[in-house]
Amino acid sequence: MPDLSARAQLPGFTDSLTTGLLWLDDFLRFRYVNPAAKTLLDLDGQLIRSEPVAKALAGNDTFFAILERVRSTRETVTQRELLLDVGLPDTRHKVTVDCTVTALSESEEIPELLVELIPLDRHMRISHEAGLAQQSGINRALARALAHEIKNPLGGIRAAAQLLERKLPQPKMAEYTRVIVSEVDRLAALVDKLLGPARPATPVEVNLHALLDHVARLMGEGAGPKILRDYDPSLPELMLDRDQIVQALLNLAKNAGEAAGADGRVTFRTRSLRQFTLNGVRHRLMACADIEDDGPGIPPDVRPKLFMPLTSSKPQGSGLGLSIAQELVSRQGGLIEYTSRPGCTVFSVLLPVEAADAHASA
Ligand SMILES: Nc1ncnc2c1ncn2[C@@H]1O[C@H](COP(=O)(O)OP(=O)(O)O)[C@@H](O)[C@H]1O
Ligand SMILES: [Mg+2]
């Protein structure tokens, strides 16, 4: 006899696991899919209960071979670094998982199956991103030190040029001193950008959706690429520095708009992530804002230094947008990560929610 009480408990505690769980009946149909598996396998929004797993995960022959093996032998099988093709035809992509399949009963003719899927991409990506964020921190420190060195004499040069202007014998010669002043001002503005926002974060309660709408307005919504919204209404308010988060989101949105082009599409999407570990800290709840575009994707040669200052593939680019955005988000305890392929680039801003919780209960 299958242990029905254990089965009945399965959905309860598995909701908050980061491991994806599939419970398949004896016809290999979904009996239960936990939220982590839905996200991992891109099953969100599809009717999955009682649907054959073969339909949702078509084309994954290795995976089905494992299921069949466990059904016939009842041995538990673990396959490391299994590559799965997931998603709907237009959002098809690959995920890497450690996969364990267990037969759920001893006695029935054909056993039901429990499939555990541990996502590896996210772990690999996050440690990679954390490395990048750290590297970008070091580079920013260097850029900052350099910027200070450049900025100090600029004031002197500007003042001297203005003084000189007043002493010039012919007023026409002032053209030259004005070039000096305007170039000094341009350099000073660039240095200010390099120095980044100086003031520390002052968190206030903010609504991420209101901020994203504000960013859409700043982007000149209506004139450029089409901006679509896919907001998770259950997202709680967050405790963040409003200006700094707007700046970070705007930098990402501008890049997305530039990549998508006037005829392209940019999507602002929000969702909440449960039990998420970031920089070694486990968060009960995190908010995620995705900024997606249908542009050509991030050039491969740019990727290794994407978040470093002065990295740009654009003729007029400052290469500061992403490094500043990453710094601003990390100041709020968050992280920016990305995935990119031609036609779909997503920058995800992960932000902790706890602070707002603590605030609410105080
Ligand atoms: N959404 C995107 N799609 C494609 N490439 C991107 C995207 N966002 C950033 N990039 C790449 O990253 C580089 C750095 O971006 P950023 O730091 O904002 O500097 P800038 O926009 O001034 O070039 C860009 O030049 C571009 O090559
Ligand atoms: Mg930019």
Side-chain angles (χ1 to χ4, degrees):
M1 261 304 282
D3 181 354
L4 286 173
S5 61
R7 285 180 178 189
Q9 282 171 17
L10 191 59
F13 65 82
T14 56
D15 270 0
S16 48
L17 289 180
T18 49
T19 299
L21 283 187
L22 309 176
W23 177 8
L24 307 177
D25 70 12
D26 44 357
F27 290 101
L28 290 184
R29 292 177 307 207
F30 292 113
R31 277 200 76 171
Y32 172 70
V33 181
N34 79 340
K38 277 186 197 165
T39 309
L40 182 66
L41 302 179
D42 220 353
L43 296 171
D44 266 341
Q46 296 179 37
L47 183 66
I48 41 184
R49 217 179 132 76
S50 300
E51 190 181 271
V53 68
K55 192 171 154 203
L57 289 172
N60 290 288
D61 297 344
T62 316
F63 177 66
F64 287 105
I66 298 169
L67 297 186
E68 287 306 336
R69 195 167 128 205
V70 178
R71 267 153 67 91
S72 56
T73 64
R74 290 166 193 269
E75 272 171 23
T76 297
V77 173
T78 296
Q79 171 79 41
R80 300 233 176 269
E81 299 192 11
L82 175 68
L83 203 60
L84 289 176
D85 265 318
V86 303
L88 297 168
D90 55 334
T91 60
R92 207 89 183 140
H93 62 279
K94 291 185 192 304
V95 293
T96 315
V97 294
D98 279 351
C99 167
T100 301
V101 183
T102 315
L104 271 179
S105 64
E106 297 281 300
S107 56
E108 279 172 25
E109 194 84 335
I110 301 170
E112 296 194 337
L113 300 179
L114 184 68
V115 181
E116 295 164 68
L117 301 169
I118 301 175
L120 295 180
D121 301 83
R122 182 154 277 257
H123 286 282
M124 292 192 288
R125 207 161 77 219
I126 287 218
S127 57
H128 172 66
E129 294 298 323
L132 271 184
Q134 196 184 13
Q135 213 171 20
S136 115
I138 295 167
N139 275 273
R140 287 205 56 73
L142 193 69
R144 208 178 279 260
L146 249 177
H148 270 296
E149 285 306 309
I150 296 170
K151 194 158 186 191
N152 288 340
L154 284 183
I157 296 174
R158 193 180 199 280
Q162 283 176 326
L163 214 62
L164 193 64
E165 189 175 321
R166 276 189 241 140
K167 310 252 164 165
L168 289 175
Q170 299 165 16
K172 239 188 115 209
M173 291 170 95
E175 250 175 57
Y176 301 114
T177 50
R178 274 181 214 136
V179 170
I180 299 177
V181 170
S182 75
E183 286 300 282
V184 161
D185 288 346
R186 196 177 61 82
L187 210 54
L190 177 69
V191 164
D192 280 338
K193 266 197 186 170
L194 259 179
L195 283 168
R199 87 191 154 72
T202 40
V204 293
E205 199 167 293
V206 296
N207 178 296
L208 199 52
H209 300 149
L211 296 191
L212 285 167
D213 285 343
H214 181 59
V215 167
R217 276 193 298 277
L218 292 177
M219 275 179 78
E221 184 172 19
K226 196 169 166 53
I227 299 178
L228 307 173
R229 291 168 174 79
D230 174 9
Y231 291 165
D232 173 355
S234 73
L235 205 70
E237 309 270 295
L238 305 175
M239 289 299 290
L240 298 171
D241 184 308
R242 189 177 184 280
D243 292 346
Q244 296 190 0
I245 284 303
V246 166
Q247 184 65 56
L249 292 170
L250 183 62
N251 288 3
L252 299 179
K254 269 191 187 158
N255 283 346
E258 285 161 9
D263 302 328
R265 295 199 304 186
V266 174
T267 307
F268 291 173
R269 183 179 302 111
T270 62
R271 63 207 146 88
S272 42
L273 303 169
R274 281 168 207 290
Q275 307 299 344
F276 198 93
T277 302
L278 190 61
N279 298 331
V281 180
R282 192 171 168 87
H283 297 273
R284 194 175 53 76
L285 189 62
M286 291 207 72
C288 180
D290 284 343
I291 296 187
E292 182 180 314
D293 68 72
D294 59 0
I298 299 168
D301 56 320
V302 167
R303 294 183 191 208
K305 45 190 169 65
L306 190 64
F307 288 99
M308 292 187 199
L310 310 178
T311 295
S312 180
S313 63
K314 300 169 193 168
Q316 302 294 326
S318 71
L320 292 173
L322 287 179
S323 91
I324 288 175
Q326 183 70 279
E327 167 152 326
L328 291 174
V329 169
S330 75
R331 276 192 204 177
Q332 333 260 338
L335 178 76
I336 301 176
E337 56 173 27
Y338 74 95
T339 59
S340 181
R341 57 192 152 90
C344 181
T345 296
V346 187
F347 278 85
S348 303
V349 182
L350 300 165
L351 295 160
V353 175
E354 275 92 326
D357 283 358
H359 176 81
S361 62

